[in-house]
């Protein structure tokens, strides 16, 4: 087996460290995303980036974003990163939380408190703990809206879209006064690039 891009091929199991809040099981998830190409951040709309969805363990209709239990020996951000590596085989930067949702399972006998984060993907792993039981698929926001099976995850996706596109509008409004351009390459964090120096020279 090739050792490149490998992580420990074992998922956490058991619920003896599981966190609960007022009887609700606390779960944490991520929306992994990346930009399609070199784009100017002031021009970003929802067509400029893709999100990563995975198949559920129990085969059925729809896809979902990676998520799982938040345990007592880890921070909420660490839990979000861990679940994303275990289920989707990607890692990157966990960004500011999108929100908290309250929901129940289909049987109505288990209540959950779900926390969702964006994860800006910087690396896709060749091997990960649930590679044999899940498929991962990059897709547009439009496709994700149709295929994601959980309503609360769709709401989290809309929060992410609103955040990224409103950030774009804010930067567009600031460009005139700052004279700086923001370039966001696929797979890299945003970089603020100063305009080139004038070819003329001035004495200090």
């Amino acid at each position: 087996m090739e050792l490149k891009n490998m992580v420990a091929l074992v998922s956490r199991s058991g619920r003896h460290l599981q966190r609960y809040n007022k009887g609700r099981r606390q779960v944490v998830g991520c929306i992994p995303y990346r930009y399609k190409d070199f784009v100017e951040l002031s021009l970003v709309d929802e067509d400029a980036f893709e999100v990563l969805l995975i198949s559920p363990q129990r085969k059925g209709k729809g896809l979902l974003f990676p998520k799982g239990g938040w345990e007592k020996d880890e921070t909420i951000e660490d839990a979000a990163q861990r679940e994303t590596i275990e289920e989707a085989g990607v890692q990157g930067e966990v960004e500011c939380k999108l929100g908290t949702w309250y929901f129940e399972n289909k049987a109505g006998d288990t209540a959950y408190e779900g926390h969702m984060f964006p994860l800006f993907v910087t690396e896709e792993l060749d091997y990960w703990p649930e590679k044999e039981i899940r498929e991962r698929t990059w897709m547009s926001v439009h496709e994700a809206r149709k295929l994601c099976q959980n309503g609360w995850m769709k709401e989290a996706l809309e929060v992410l879209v609103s955040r990224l596109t409103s950030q774009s509008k804010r930067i567009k409004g600031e460009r005139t006064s700052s004279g700086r351009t923001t370039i966001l390459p696929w797979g890299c964090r945003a970089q603020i690039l100063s305009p080139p120096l004038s070819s003329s020279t001035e004495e200090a």
Side-chain angles (χ1 to χ4, degrees):
M1 179 183 293
E2 186 179 355
L3 296 179
K4 182 181 178 182
N5 290 343
M6 287 188 63
V7 295
L9 300 182
V10 179
S11 296
R12 282 197 177 197
S13 60
R15 295 188 179 176
H16 61 287
L17 293 176
Q18 176 63 54
R19 292 176 185 258
Y20 289 85
N21 182 25
K22 298 179 180 179
R24 292 181 177 271
R25 184 184 176 213
Q26 294 183 295
V27 297
V28 183
C30 276
I31 300 180
Y33 76 97
R34 70 183 182 187
Y35 288 88
K36 293 180 181 178
D37 205 342
F38 276 85
V39 294
E40 187 171 326
L41 193 53
S42 63
L43 302 178
V44 166
D45 58 23
E46 67 178 48
D47 294 325
F49 59 93
E50 299 174 312
V51 293
L52 184 69
L53 281 84
I54 59 173
S55 59
Q57 282 185 311
R58 297 177 182 176
K59 300 301 180 183
K61 296 180 180 179
L63 301 173
L64 64 158
F65 295 112
K67 69 107 175 77
W70 177 17
E71 301 191 347
K72 295 177 182 178
D73 63 344
E74 59 189 350
T75 67
I76 192 169
E77 292 84 5
D78 287 343
Q81 179 79 265
R82 174 180 57 77
E83 288 292 343
T84 305
I85 291 173
E86 289 180 357
E87 296 186 352
V90 295
Q91 53 191 2
E93 297 185 39
V94 177
E95 299 176 340
C96 296
K97 190 167 78 168
L98 296 169
T100 302
W101 284 263
Y102 300 94
F103 57 97
E104 296 181 348
N105 63 357
K106 291 183 179 180
D109 56 7
T110 305
Y112 294 90
E113 177 183 289
H115 306 270
M116 289 294 286
F117 292 81
L119 183 133
F120 185 86
V121 174
T122 57
E123 184 177 9
E124 290 189 48
L125 304 172
D126 294 329
Y127 303 98
W128 65 97
E130 299 188 14
K131 176 181 173 67
E132 300 302 320
I133 60 175
R134 296 186 190 272
E135 296 179 358
R136 62 185 182 188
T137 307
W138 285 103
M139 64 184 64
S140 68
V141 170
H142 177 71
E143 292 173 310
R145 287 191 181 106
K146 294 190 296 183
L147 296 176
C148 182
Q149 67 181 25
N150 293 334
W152 68 279
M153 287 187 171
K154 290 182 181 181
E155 291 180 10
L157 175 61
E158 295 306 323
V159 176
L160 175 60
V161 170
S162 176
R163 178 183 295 180
L164 294 179
T165 55
S166 63
Q167 179 186 32
S168 165
K169 293 175 183 176
R170 185 170 63 252
I171 290 174
K172 186 175 183 179
E174 293 173 351
R175 282 186 60 199
T176 302
S177 59
S178 68
R180 297 194 295 181
T181 301
T182 303
I183 302 297
L184 188 59
W186 180 3
C188 300
R189 293 292 292 164
Q191 301 178 50
I192 305 298
L193 304 179
S194 299
L197 296 174
S198 170
S199 58
S200 62
T201 59
E202 297 181 359
E203 293 183 358

